[in-house]
Amino acid sequence: MRRLGLLGWVCVAGLACYGGTPTRESVGTGADGMPETSGGDGDGDGDPSGDGDPSGDGDGDPDGDGDGDPGGDGDGDPGGDGDGDSGNPYEAEATYCVEVINGYRATLNLPPLQRWTDAEVCSDGEAQSDAMTNTPHGAFGMCGESAQNECPGWPGPVTQLLDGCLAQMWAEGPGEPFSEHGHYINMSNPNYTRVACGFFQTAQGDYWAVQNFN
């Protein structure tokens, strides 16, 4: 994987995870942790079938009722209490993360990603697991994501981390191979509709941050 300053790692379902020894860089991956190059559908979206729907039924709806509501009650509130509260200790940071990603997508006239609140606490857990094992994307797929970018071992504050890491991911631009453009491909994929941002601060004070796309 080409390193870009303080970037990270990238994985996609149907794609391999690309990266080396983590040095405050970002990485991405896909749902099965295998690379989606010539063996996949070639679009870097983490969907090996190429239809953008990880469940395989064509509707992109995880609970199978066609409404796109993970809680299954039609209100779009993952907690089921109507207040949209995810119980995430990094609430403000998660909101900012989604805003930054959507700012980049807007430059391509892509629809904004919804904040995937019901996967945020799980994504925090993935970031913690990866930090503890010092293995970017080590917990990839645990939250049901189709693709993941990661910023391992970055200094805080989190908003500064996101500004720097996401800017370098976007700067990869479109193109091939996925190992050099995967972060951008994940961020700009038109098939994804939501993103969950997870964070963990180590005892040394640095942060690991994941962005899970679905």
Side-chain angles (χ1 to χ4, degrees):
M1 173 183 178
R2 180 182 58 176
R3 290 182 179 243
L4 296 178
L6 300 181
L7 244 187
W9 291 62
V10 60
C11 283
V12 178
L15 279 174
C17 298
Y18 290 93
T21 302
T23 308
R24 296 189 208 157
E25 68 174 37
S26 68
V27 179
T29 189
D32 59 4
M34 295 302 296
E36 180 191 77
T37 51
S38 59
D41 62 3
D43 62 1
D45 65 357
D47 173 37
S49 66
D51 61 3
D53 176 36
S55 67
D57 59 5
D59 66 357
D61 176 41
D63 62 5
D65 61 2
D67 65 358
D69 174 39
D73 58 3
D75 66 355
D77 174 33
D81 55 7
D83 62 2
D85 180 13
S86 65
N88 181 10
Y90 291 99
E91 182 86 16
E93 292 85 353
T95 297
Y96 183 73
C97 177
V98 176
E99 290 174 351
V100 173
I101 293 171
N102 282 335
Y104 285 118
R105 288 174 63 89
T107 66
L108 301 179
N109 294 318
L110 292 170
L113 299 174
Q114 297 299 309
R115 184 178 155 200
W116 188 11
T117 54
D118 56 337
E120 286 176 352
V121 172
C122 180
S123 299
D124 291 342
E126 284 187 337
Q128 179 177 2
S129 176
D130 290 356
M132 299 301 289
T133 61
N134 198 35
T135 306
H137 302 302
F140 174 69
M142 185 176 72
C143 303
E145 67 273 18
S146 298
Q148 182 185 82
N149 289 349
E150 184 161 13
C151 309
W154 278 64
V158 172
T159 53
Q160 181 176 312
L161 174 167
L162 291 169
D163 287 343
C165 187
L166 295 180
Q168 290 187 47
M169 289 179 177
W170 191 257
E172 291 176 357
E176 296 180 355
F178 182 83
S179 59
E180 297 186 6
H181 301 274
H183 303 104
Y184 175 91
I185 291 170
N186 286 346
M187 292 172 70
S188 63
N189 194 309
N191 292 323
Y192 297 144
T193 59
R194 55 187 182 173
V195 60
C197 298
F199 307 91
F200 176 73
Q201 185 177 24
T202 69
Q204 292 72 38
D206 60 342
Y207 288 87
W208 286 58
V210 301
Q211 302 90 52
N212 286 329
F213 300 89
N214 205 10

